[in-house]
Each structure stands twice: as C-alpha cells, then as structure tokens.
Amino acid sequence: MASFPRAILIDLDDTLLDDSSNVDACWDDACASVAPRLPGVGVDRLRAEIDKLTSWYWSDPKRHRMGRLDLRAVRRHILELVFAELGIDDNGLARDLAETYRELREERAHLFPGAADALDRLRAEGVRLGMMTNGAATTQRMKIERFGLAPYFDHIVIEGEFGVGKPDRRVFDTLLSALDVTPGDAWAIGDHLEFDVLAPMQLGLHGIWVDPRNAGLDGHRDRPDRIVSAFTEIVSSSA
Ligand SMILES: [Mg+2]
C-alpha cells in the first residue's frame, strides 16, 4: 500500500537532474579541445590545476554562496587563476575553454532515468510537490523549462529569484506554506545532506538523502531519516 506524505520538497540538481556526474569528463574533453593551443603545458597539468583551484574555490561557504549565483563568472575567475599559475597569458584561450566546458555541461545534463515517471506517480497519488533549488534565476529556470518540470510542481523556490537559498529556513517555510502543509506532513529530498536534508529536518520534515555514489555519511554526526541511492526509489519502495 502506498505511503506518501501530503507534500514533498524536492531538490533539482543531482536529485532530479543528472547535472554533475559528467563534470570530470566535460573538463577532460574541453581541455583536450584546447590542447593544440597550450604553450608547453600538458593537458594533465592543466586538468590538475583546474581540479585544485576548483576545490579551493568551492570549499569556502561564503564563496560558495556568492559563486553559485554566477557560475560563468566563477569559471572565468578560476581559469584566470589556473592560467596565472601555469604562466599562460592568453585570455582568449581561457574564454574558449570556459565556453566549451559550459556547452558540454549543458549538452550532457539530463533527467535521471525514471525521474519524470516518478513525479507523475506522485502527482497521481495527490502528493503536493515543491521544488527547492539553489543557484541563479536564469540558469535554474532554463533547466526547469528545458526538462519540462514546472507542471509537476505546485510551487518552485529558486535562490536567485527568492533572495535566499537553502539552508535558510525561509525557503522551507515558504514552500510549506505555499503547499499548505505542516512540517510533519512533508518530506524533503535531495543530494546535499546539509542543505536538502538536515536543515529541513530541524524544522520537523522527514529528511531523505540521495547518495548515488554510496559516499556514506563519513563522520557526519547528524543522520538523515532515510538514505536512498536515487530519487525514484521513494516511489518504487512506497508502492
Ligand atoms: Mg542538488
């Protein structure tokens, strides 16, 4: 027998949309495409510097908060630092690399298999759905449009439109009130343990963490109510 809550808050990137499992491949291919123009620097070294400076950039919560609202500018900035580190003085090359990477990422983004069917099923069961997604308004809207996701959702909160993002409680409060449910009537599901799961759990929602690569909790003190390997599992295992 089905056992769904009255409402579910769902993250977009890497929960419904496979947006970043291809990050490494996209950088590999983008770097390979500019390899003939690299003066005395191998692709491997370029890749290593990109990884190093990308990790450094996103490791800081403040940079994360600002940067996720303008990924294009962040990539340009990271590549400038990479090129400075490697002694390459070629702004055109940095720009082409950033654009090629962006195009590849866009091209390769796709809904996880079964995600649309799972959303259909939840709608058919009468579950109210809210989307909670961080990032820039235009970028996130474009993804929602491209994959036809808006009709599934009763309410959508995009950080760039709303003014604040997860884990700020206003995101969850706004969604719960738009869906007209109490926290005890709702699940929250997403791949970001802190933002999508633990933060709404503090308000009383049932938190489900999507852990596609079986990364595990790795020393985390707080535990989600449930761990799944894919969003679709909440439908298949509730049937
Ligand atoms: Mg996500």
Side-chain angles (χ1 to χ4, degrees):
M1 187 175 143
S3 52
F4 295 115
R6 289 182 67 203
I8 307 180
L9 311 189
I10 307 170
D11 167 55
L12 174 61
D13 293 329
D14 299 313
T15 297
L16 294 175
L17 188 67
D18 184 357
D19 188 47
S20 57
S21 72
N22 52 26
V23 160
D24 284 337
C26 290
W27 274 125
D28 286 344
D29 294 348
C31 288
S33 79
V34 300
R37 294 163 63 192
L38 285 174
V41 175
V43 168
D44 289 350
R45 228 181 122 211
L46 176 61
R47 279 292 284 118
E49 280 304 320
I50 290 172
D51 282 350
K52 189 179 91 188
L53 284 157
T54 301
S55 301
W56 165 81
Y57 184 89
W58 293 111
S59 65
D60 178 72
K62 200 168 163 194
R63 280 198 299 268
H64 196 289
R65 206 161 47 242
M66 302 301 293
R68 66 186 182 231
L69 295 173
D70 193 350
L71 293 176
R72 235 171 157 159
V74 169
R75 280 184 205 128
R76 267 200 311 272
H77 176 59
I78 290 173
L79 286 176
E80 274 166 24
L81 297 173
V82 166
F83 275 38
E85 194 72 24
L86 296 173
I88 306 171
D89 183 17
D90 189 340
N91 287 339
L93 187 62
R95 199 182 50 235
D96 290 351
L97 178 55
E99 273 310 290
T100 305
Y101 173 77
R102 188 185 61 78
E103 284 163 14
L104 290 172
R105 281 288 301 277
E106 268 182 34
E107 223 173 271
R108 295 175 186 179
H110 58 273
L111 287 181
F112 282 110
D117 288 344
L119 291 170
D120 268 330
R121 168 79 196 284
L122 292 169
R123 297 293 310 187
E125 296 283 343
V127 180
R128 296 172 203 170
L129 301 180
M131 183 189 286
M132 45 172 188
T133 179
N134 281 0
T138 44
T139 314
Q140 299 310 89
R141 275 285 162 204
M142 265 169 52
K143 292 180 203 171
I144 291 165
E145 281 297 305
R146 176 178 166 195
F147 296 103
L149 292 171
Y152 293 108
F153 289 87
D154 299 287
H155 198 76
I156 293 174
V157 169
I158 299 176
E159 179 182 26
E161 291 176 354
F162 187 64
V164 291
K166 302 169 289 186
D168 190 298
R169 70 169 290 165
R170 283 171 284 182
V171 171
F172 314 115
D173 288 339
T174 297
L175 281 162
L176 291 174
S177 104
L179 303 182
D180 195 22
V181 292
T182 60
D185 287 330
W187 293 355
I189 181 166
D191 69 297
H192 196 298
L193 181 60
E194 189 198 333
F195 290 6
D196 299 326
V197 185
L198 299 178
M201 276 173 66
Q202 281 181 5
L203 305 180
L205 287 87
H206 178 84
I208 304 172
W209 183 43
V210 181
D211 179 22
R213 285 175 284 278
N214 276 319
L217 288 164
D218 193 29
H220 264 279
R221 223 167 12 95
D222 303 309
R223 303 188 66 82
D225 291 311
R226 183 175 165 196
I227 303 176
V228 294
S229 58
F231 165 71
T232 51
E233 232 175 87
I234 65 168
V235 170
S236 52
S237 59
S238 294

